[in-house]
């Protein structure tokens, strides 16, 4: 690397301790003297040459250089002054001792003026000449060393100046008043100031106002008087005209400072500062991103669980001091899984982001909305004076979601279930408040979703019960606590039982017989449903085989499958193996699935249903009409039977003209599907259904679900229903 326009800086003179030999030229026309002098002056490290005339001397000097010339004044072809002139004209550095018989002082002065270093008058004492030679050589050596030293210094200064001026760091010095006394050119690129504009200006003028106090204190810390270095992170501002494009108003630097201290005796005086400031903006930005990521959710850029807890703890501490109140809300998106599973994660993400934006719009400055993960959000209202304030916000949240969210598959009306816990009433720790808001939210979910609810201590008991239930459910199969009940399906036109639906019951050791609504969702949540479904399948098939042997060979058995069953790849083989094991014709087994499963085709539900159909099994859509059924699904899925949901049956009010049931019967006829009406409780309902074209029915009007023995008994009785 070479410095532009400069010599390489490592030209420093040789620093070896062993000096070069001193070369001495004797110029004298007396050959005897020329022979004698080298012996008289001989010493280690001296090399002699000699000649007897000006012309010869010049020839020697042209050929080589000497350290010293012993120059006779009178020479055959001129004087020693001619040699001196020759040397001067060529700026030669040889030292010269003029030796002359001339005793005129003028001759000596003339010689010294023309550059001789010393003058020795003939005749001289040998010792006198030896001294003169010794002295002159010594002086020359000193001069050389001195020259070498200055050369080294100059090179070193050039090197340091180069290093400082081309440094990627900002290097500066301050005077005792803290004003710039030097700045390297880096300041122009880094901050955008002209160097000259900053000289004599106070350093603190460049420091961002927020940092001034801290920097001032460090610069003037008493310890700095002892000369210790210090480091400091600070922001230096750019001139306004330099904030172009992406550039920030300031640059973050790490400053290393070395105070310059002058000492006189015991006294120390601060006279200024050397400073090196390194641009660490990039590192800072990276750190900020990492910190942001640690405390924020990447999808919505909302605070995450950690930051929420932090803010909540802070808010609790504030409220404690002020004697104030605060609210924590737990918000869970209803049916989110459906969107995610049916339309894919990308659509789910769009929905979550849209919900996050809607929720944010309902909050005030100072409130915190966080995403805990999945479809769960929390809200902190750190400053409320009464529960109604939280209720007001909860209503705003629900209202903000009334407008559907546009997804690429169409509009989706998102709703949320929202639970509220209040400080200090419902807890005084972040954990308690969040958990209680969660429990209240869960309660909203259970009672129909899309609403809000305050925490109520009795909910806590429910929550605890739920945890207990979960533990008990885990061992229920092994303890043989499940039981199947069966509900007949009756054909009115044929006046006989055509099938039964297997409905699961749990003989809970303490709570008695529990219906599936209590434990099936929990079993799905905790991953037990697979085992339960296999148990139901096996028992239902066993029961059907038994009834077939008991004289009901045409009976059909329906059983309910969960969407989770279709997540498993072995669902088809599990069912077909079971049917074969019990020797049942596959078409006698009907699998009931719900409409929601049909749009959740992520697990390849359609493909699995096709395989089941090909294996001869029957497929029924349960609770038809309540979900998202679209005719397109009926085309894609190999369905045999539609089960009209009991809510439609309940709504039958005597008018034979029921548009929904008519539509469903129309669909069934159009697609060539069987129809079963569920929840038929009264004879009028049965009559209307029959009039509308529905023949097979299931409901309390005919029989309640009951154990196999009861149903067998019931089936053996003739059906004497007036509707038949
Ligand atoms: P579902 O498949 O629609 O079953 C019909 C439900 O309606 C049964 O409730 C039955 O007792 C009830 N029901 C029948 N007739 C009437 C009536 O006339 N009036 C009224 N009000 N209700 C009637 P259950 O047994 O409590 O089952 C509830 C739901 O639990 C079932 O609805 C089904 O979705 C699910 N389920 C039942 N057993 C199983 C099972 O083994 N596995 C799975 N995954 N789900 C099951
Ligand atoms: Mg069913
Ligand atoms: Mg049903």
């Amino acid at each position: 690397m070479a410095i532009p326009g400069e010599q390489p800086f490592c030209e420093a003179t040789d620093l070896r301790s062993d000096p070069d030999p001193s070369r001495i030229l004797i110029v004298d026309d007396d050959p005897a003297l020329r022979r004698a002098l080298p012996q008289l002056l001989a010493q280690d490290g001296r090399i002699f040459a000699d000649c007897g005339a000006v012309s010869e001397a010049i020839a020697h000097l042209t050929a080589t250089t000497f350290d010293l010339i012993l120059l006779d004044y009178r020479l055959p072809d001129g004087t020693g002054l001619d040699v001196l002139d020759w040397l001067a004209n060529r700026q030669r550095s040889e030292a010269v001792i003029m030796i002359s018989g001339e005793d005129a002082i003028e001759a000596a002065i003339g010689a010294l003026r023309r550059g001789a270093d010393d003058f020795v008058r003939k005749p001289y004492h040998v010792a006198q000449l030896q001294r003169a030679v010794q002295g002159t050589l010594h002086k020359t050596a000193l001069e050389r060393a001195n020259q070498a030293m200055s050369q080294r210094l100059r090179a070193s200064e050039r090197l340091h100046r180069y290093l400082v001026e081309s440094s990627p760091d900002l290097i500066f010095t301050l005077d005792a008043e803290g004003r710039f006394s030097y700045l390297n050119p880096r300041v122009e690129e880094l901050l955008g100031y002209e160097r000259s504009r900053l000289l004599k200006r106070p350093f603190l003028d460049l420091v961002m106002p927020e940092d001034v106090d801290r920097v001032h204190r460090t610069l003037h810390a008493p310890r700095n008087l002892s000369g210790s270095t210090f480091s400091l992170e600070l922001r230096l501002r750019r001139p306004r005209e330099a904030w172009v494009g992406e550039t920030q108003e300031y640059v973050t630097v790490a400053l290393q400072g070395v105070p310059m201290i002058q000492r006189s005796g015991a006294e120390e005086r601060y006279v200024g500062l050397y400073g090196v400031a390194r641009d660490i903006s990039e590192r800072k930005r990276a750190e900020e991103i990492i910190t942001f990521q640690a405390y924020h959710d990447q999808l919505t850029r909302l605070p995450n669980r950690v930051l929420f807890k932090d803010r909540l703890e802070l808010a609790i501490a504030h409220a404690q001091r002020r004697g104030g109140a605060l609210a924590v809300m737990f918000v869970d998106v209803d049916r989110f899984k459906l969107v995610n599973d049916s339309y894919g994660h990308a659509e789910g993400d769009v929905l979550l982001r849209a919900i996050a934006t809607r929720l944010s719009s309902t909050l005030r400055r100072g409130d915190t909305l966080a995403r805990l993960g999945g479809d769960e959000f929390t809200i902190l209202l750190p400053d409320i004076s009464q529960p109604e304030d939280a209720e007001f916000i909860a209503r705003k949240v629900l209202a903000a979601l009334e407008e559907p969210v546009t997804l690429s598959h169409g509009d989706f009306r998102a709703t949320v279930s929202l639970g509220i816990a209040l400080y200090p009433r419902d807890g005084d720790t972040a954990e308690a408040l969040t958990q209680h808001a969660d429990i209240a939210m869960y309660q909203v979910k259970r009672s129909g979703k899309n609403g809000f609810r305050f925490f109520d201590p009795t909910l806590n008991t429910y929550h605890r019960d739920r945890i207990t239930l979960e533990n008990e459910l885990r061992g229920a199969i092994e303890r043989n606590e499940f039981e199947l009940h069966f509900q007949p399906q009756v054909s009115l036109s044929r006046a006989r039982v055509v099938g039964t639906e297997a409905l699961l019951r749990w003989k809970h050791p303490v709570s008695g017989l529990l219906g599936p609504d209590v434990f099936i969702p929990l079993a799905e949540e905790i991953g037990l449903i697979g085992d339960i479904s296999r148990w139901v399948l096996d028992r239902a098939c066993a029961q059907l085989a038994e009834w077939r042997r008991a004289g009901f060979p045409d009976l059909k058995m329906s059983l309910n499958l969960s969407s989770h069953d279709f997540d498993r790849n072995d669902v088809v083989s599990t069912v077909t193996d079971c049917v074969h094991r019990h020797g049942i014709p596959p078409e006698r087994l009907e699998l009931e699935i719900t409409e929601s499963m049909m749009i959740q085709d992520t697990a390849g539900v359609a493909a699995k249903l096709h395989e089941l159909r090909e294996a001869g099994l029957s497929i029924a859509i349960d609770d038809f009409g309540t979900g998202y059924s679209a005719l397109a699904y009926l085309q894609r899925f190999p369905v045999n039977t539609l089960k009209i949901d009991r809510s439609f049956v309940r709504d039958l009010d005597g008018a034979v003209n029921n548009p929904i049931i008519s539509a469903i019967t129309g669909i069934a006829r159009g697609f060539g599907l069987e129809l079963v009406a569920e929840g038929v409780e009264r004879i009028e309902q049965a009559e209307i259904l029959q009039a509308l074209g529905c023949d097979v029915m299931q409901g309390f009007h005919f029989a309640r679900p009951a154990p196999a023995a009861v149903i067998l008994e019931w089936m053996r009785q003739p059906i004497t229903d007036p509707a038949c």
Side-chain angles (χ1 to χ4, degrees), residues 474-582:
R474 288 189 192 277
I477 294 185
E478 289 74 43
R479 290 191 302 270
N480 209 10
E481 288 171 0
F482 286 125
E483 177 174 285
L484 280 185
H485 281 195
F486 301 88
Q487 187 176 32
Q489 294 173 340
V490 177
S491 160
L492 256 55
S493 62
R494 284 172 276 170
R496 65 187 187 97
V497 182
V498 290
T500 64
E501 179 176 3
L503 295 161
L504 186 60
R505 303 290 179 260
W506 178 14
K507 293 175 290 177
H508 190 273
V510 180
S511 313
L513 207 60
L514 297 179
D517 288 339
V518 180
F519 62 89
I520 291 279
L522 186 60
E524 288 176 336
E525 216 174 285
I526 63 177
L528 275 183
I529 191 71
D531 292 343
I532 294 179
S533 294
R534 276 189 293 277
W535 184 90
V536 171
L537 179 68
D538 183 67
R539 291 309 162 92
C541 287
Q543 191 56 64
L544 183 62
E546 197 180 313
W547 281 338
R548 282 166 59 79
R549 286 192 295 273
F552 297 92
D554 299 332
L555 200 65
K556 230 174 163 178
M557 176 67 76
S558 297
L559 57 87
N560 298 279
L561 287 181
S562 149
S563 65
H564 296 256
D565 294 322
F566 283 85
D567 292 341
R568 298 179 58 105
N569 288 330
D570 62 359
V571 60
V572 177
S573 58
T574 307
V575 174
T576 49
D577 289 354
C578 188
V579 167
H580 291 139
R581 198 166 57 245
H582 291 281

Side-chain angles (χ1 to χ4, degrees), residues 501 503 560 592 622 643 678:
E501 179 176 3
L503 295 161
N560 298 279
E592 296 191 4
D622 207 353
K643 294 190 75 178
E678 287 187 296

